[in-house]
Amino acid sequence: MLRETVGHLRDLPRYRQILATLVRYGYHDIVVALHLEGLIRPIEKAALGEEAPTRDRPARLRMICEDLGPTFVKLGQILSTRHDLLPEAYTAELTQLRDNVKPFPFEEVEAILLEEFGRPAAEVFAAIDPEPLASASISQVHRATLHDGQVVALKIRRPGIDKVVQADLDILKNLAALAERRMPSLAAYSPVEQVKEFERTLKRELDLAVERRTMERCRGQFAREPFAHIPLVFREYCTSRVLAMELIGGVGVDDLDGLRRLGIDPPTVAIRGAKILLRQIFRFGFFHADPHPGNLRVQPGGVIVPLDYGMFGRIDAATREQIVDLLIGLTSEDTDKVLRALEALEIRNEHVAPRALRRDVSELVATYSDLTLDAIDLGVLLRELVTFIRAHHLKIPPDLILLIRALVTIEGVGRTLDPHFDIAAQIRPLFRELTARRFHPRRLLARTGRTLEDIQRIATLLPDALGQSLESIRRGELTVKFDLQHFEQLVRQLTRASHTLTAGIVIAGLIIASSLIVRTGSGAINTLGYAGYTIAMVLGVALTLSIFRKVQ
């Protein structure tokens, strides 16, 4: 059993520390369920039969994370967003986890800089303040001055943190595998898969070069946004363990008195901040996944500065459109549309009862059927959706979890600044933009082009495939039974489909050509463009009527 649980003998003390901490805070039932009592020292084993401490169980889980150090603090912070895995009492408690820890000595800072740049810190920088501006579990930040006089914030990864984190991750993966085998109630949540995703997220956060690239990408996206500022990165002073960026002043986004002293209206800040973060989500599909007040600063003039680019989510264009479909389905009493959107978003469970799922979706839809998007409390809607997901043990992609966390946080910060803040009012224009882009003639034409390419590819491969099949038949390796009973009907259907596709391409071409003529021409030339619009409209109506007749 010891060999099964402990991959390396060097991990044994850490295993014992983790298990002893669980026992000390009243989680001895977990240790017993995993059959790991044998790893605990006798003096700690005596606590297995004792009653749990008086504090409630969620609070004790938070204290376990705090006691076990950086990896478990990060795990707790991630779990605080997983409303699909944990009840609200636990997620609310875990949001109290703070990253402020004792700073490491300045001598170690100098040693890291020497290793990274190959020369003493005094040669690389004109000055470095020995007292850190902030100290967290992964890194700490010092104020530094470059030789050209530029003041920067120097973020430095803790010495040896990568080895500590990797050892803890190995143990967590092992414990997750044990939990899947020995705790059936947890198996539905795929502990091993969850730990692997946590490992991926944490390792990206450990690599400061990833954070640098994220900041540069965001800076390019908001280069022309007057009320958004992404800190400048000084690439020549950056490595995987060191990040040098512009030192940001201003006040915290939730410092209402500070905002008023700067002459800034808090409700205006709420709207500007929401627009910046929602644009990241629905326009760029690359968004800040942890926009809590500590990561948002406001500079004079009401300029919003997001900080800490270690945790970012990504959603592609198709996912953004499916999110719109989900919300439209909820507000239009369309159960089938909601179910299709959930499937398209890969929110599923192969073992769920279809009828029970449909019944609960119908009830959820009925709750919002009489409301428009602007009348919905988005935070409440998302929490109800997550409760529904947890009730059916549906698996939800990690980036969607980050998206839900970001939206709930944005709304919470907005309500702090303005009790009447309406996040739906900020989302609606982006939804309209997504819908317009989705059905733009140019995009429809591009989709048609891709379909034709697929058809051409199939047509190119078909002769070889048929030749190989005929050869197999000749050699007696393949037996084929033909049923030509409905062959003529199939040919007619294929012919109709090709005619419909051709008509659609012609209509799209007319619309695009007419738009170009109207935009660039004048006078008689414009008349030609409007004539093209008319022909396209007539053909479109005829095509639509033809399709409806075939359907009926």
Side-chain angles (χ1 to χ4, degrees):
M1 194 278 293
L2 183 62
R3 184 180 301 171
E4 176 190 13
T5 306
V6 184
H8 302 284
L9 191 58
R10 60 178 170 78
D11 291 336
L12 182 56
R14 182 59 169 166
Y15 265 103
R16 282 178 167 162
Q17 182 186 2
I18 292 169
L19 297 174
T21 304
L22 288 172
V23 170
R24 189 167 68 252
Y25 284 104
Y27 275 81
H28 38 64
D29 54 328
I30 300 294
V31 177
V32 172
L34 294 174
H35 303 168
L36 295 178
E37 310 96 304
L39 290 180
I40 303 176
R41 293 185 179 92
I43 191 171
E44 294 155 349
K45 195 178 295 187
L48 287 173
E50 295 179 2
E51 291 186 9
T54 54
R55 285 180 179 270
D56 61 2
R57 199 170 173 90
R60 286 184 270 124
L61 179 59
R62 172 182 56 78
M63 290 187 285
I64 287 171
C65 293
E66 290 171 341
D67 276 11
L68 290 177
T71 309
F72 289 84
V73 168
K74 289 296 179 184
L75 177 61
Q77 290 172 343
I78 294 291
L79 288 175
S80 73
T81 71
R82 297 304 303 265
H83 300 276
D84 59 318
L85 297 179
L86 295 176
E88 188 173 351
Y90 284 85
T91 57
E93 184 67 37
L94 291 174
T95 56
Q96 299 179 41
L97 282 169
R98 292 292 175 262
D99 235 359
N100 294 324
V101 298
K102 182 180 178 180
F104 55 91
F106 185 65
E107 290 76 16
E108 294 186 19
V109 170
E110 293 179 308
I112 291 171
L113 295 176
L114 177 61
E115 290 176 15
E116 294 299 300
F117 297 107
R119 50 200 175 113
E123 294 182 15
V124 181
F125 301 96
I128 304 178
D129 188 347
E131 291 298 319
L133 296 172
S135 179
S137 56
I138 299 295
S139 60
Q140 69 184 36
V141 180
H142 287 261
R143 179 189 181 98
T145 306
L146 305 181
H147 287 292
D148 62 2
Q150 174 71 49
V151 178
V152 300
L154 203 61
K155 187 174 184 178
I156 303 163
R157 195 174 72 193
R158 283 185 171 271
I161 188 66
D162 51 338
K163 295 178 181 178
V164 172
V165 166
Q166 187 58 60
D168 282 347
L169 287 171
D170 290 341
I171 293 172
L172 281 171
K173 284 186 283 188
N174 209 319
L175 293 175
L178 284 174
E180 281 199 6
R181 293 200 303 271
R182 297 176 176 175
M183 300 178 69
S185 61
L186 294 182
Y189 297 103
S190 305
V192 172
E193 186 179 326
Q194 301 296 343
V195 172
K196 285 181 179 178
E197 179 58 30
F198 171 60
E199 179 180 32
R200 186 186 74 86
T201 301
L202 188 52
K203 284 188 173 180
R204 286 182 63 85
E205 193 168 347
L206 282 170
D207 188 352
L208 298 185
V210 173
E211 186 169 350
R212 171 186 61 78
R213 291 194 294 270
T214 299
M215 293 179 71
E216 290 175 335
R217 180 174 175 181
C218 291
R219 189 171 172 84
Q221 290 170 342
F222 288 99
R224 298 184 180 180
E225 173 58 57
F227 296 112
H229 179 71
I230 310 300
L232 177 65
V233 173
F234 299 88
R235 183 180 287 203
E236 61 271 33
Y237 299 97
C238 296
T239 69
S240 63
R241 299 169 68 193
V242 179
L243 177 63
M245 62 188 131
E246 175 187 359
L247 184 65
I248 299 298
V251 300
V253 73
D254 58 346
D255 183 357
L256 301 184
D257 292 335
L259 291 174
R260 294 188 182 99
R261 282 196 299 271
L262 291 175
I264 302 169
D265 184 32
T268 301
V269 173
I271 292 172
R272 288 177 181 174
K275 283 182 176 178
I276 292 167
L277 296 166
L278 291 172
R279 278 181 61 193
Q280 285 187 326
I281 294 171
F282 294 108
R283 184 172 296 171
F284 304 127
F286 184 67
F287 59 93
H288 199 305
D290 195 20
H292 64 76
N295 283 339
L296 296 170
R297 304 286 291 178
V298 184
Q299 293 183 321
V303 177
I304 313 294
V305 187
L307 301 175
D308 194 349
Y309 292 75
M311 188 181 294
F312 257 65
R314 295 160 180 78
I315 53 172
D316 58 24
T319 302
R320 283 172 260 161
E321 292 170 0
Q322 289 149 9
I323 291 168
V324 175
D325 287 343
L326 177 62
L327 291 176
I328 290 174
L330 285 170
T331 56
S332 60
E333 205 170 355
D334 191 337
T335 301
D336 289 324
K337 194 177 188 72
V338 173
L339 287 169
R340 287 195 301 270
L342 290 174
E343 179 64 28
L345 289 167
E346 298 181 10
I347 301 174
R348 59 168 75 106
N349 180 356
E350 292 77 7
H351 307 294
V352 71
R355 290 196 177 188
L357 182 66
R358 185 177 188 85
R359 179 199 64 217
D360 288 353
V361 167
S362 298
E363 290 178 359
L364 185 64
V365 165
T367 305
Y368 293 95
S369 60
D370 296 330
L371 301 177
T372 56
L373 185 60
D374 56 336
I376 292 175
D377 186 324
L378 189 64
V380 173
L381 168 60
L382 292 174
R383 282 190 285 274
E384 289 185 359
L385 185 61
V386 168
T387 300
F388 160 79
I389 289 169
R390 188 171 68 242
H392 289 277
H393 302 300
L394 302 179
K395 293 181 180 178
I396 180 167
D399 281 324
L400 285 184
I401 288 290
L402 293 179
L403 171 64
I404 291 171
R405 172 185 182 168
L407 289 173
V408 171
T409 306
I410 292 167
E411 184 172 49
V413 173
R415 294 276 171 91
T416 300
L417 294 165
D418 178 9
H420 304 292
F421 174 71
D422 178 14
I423 192 172
Q426 311 308 319
I427 292 179
R428 276 198 304 276
L430 293 166
F431 277 9
R432 285 196 293 268
E433 180 183 314
L434 275 172
T435 303
R437 196 183 306 151
R438 185 177 190 174
F439 297 105
H440 193 281
R442 190 171 299 169
R443 182 170 178 184
L444 294 175
L445 188 61
R447 282 182 177 174
T448 304
R450 286 194 295 271
T451 302
L452 290 175
E453 286 178 6
D454 291 339
I455 293 172
Q456 181 185 20
R457 193 177 301 111
I458 293 170
T460 303
L461 295 173
L462 193 58
D464 287 340
L466 285 175
Q468 292 172 8
S469 299
L470 290 172
E471 182 63 24
S472 297
I473 293 171
R474 188 184 66 78
R475 292 198 301 265
E477 298 172 355
L478 180 66
T479 302
V480 180
K481 181 179 179 181
F482 286 97
D483 182 3
L484 300 178
Q485 184 176 359
H486 302 291
F487 184 71
E488 292 183 1
Q489 181 181 352
L490 175 63
V491 171
R492 285 196 299 272
Q493 289 175 344
L494 290 173
T495 302
R496 288 197 201 103
S498 63
H499 289 167
T500 302
L501 180 63
T502 302
I505 294 172
V506 170
I507 292 169
L510 279 169
I511 292 172
I512 293 173
S514 301
S515 298
L516 292 172
I517 291 171
V518 170
R519 185 173 180 179
T520 58
S522 60
I525 296 178
N526 274 350
T527 304
L528 183 61
Y530 293 128
Y533 280 136
T534 304
I535 295 170
M537 183 178 69
V538 172
L539 288 175
V541 171
L543 180 61
T544 303
L545 292 174
S546 173
I547 292 171
F548 275 123
R549 280 198 298 271
K550 290 170 189 172
V551 171
Q552 293 170 354

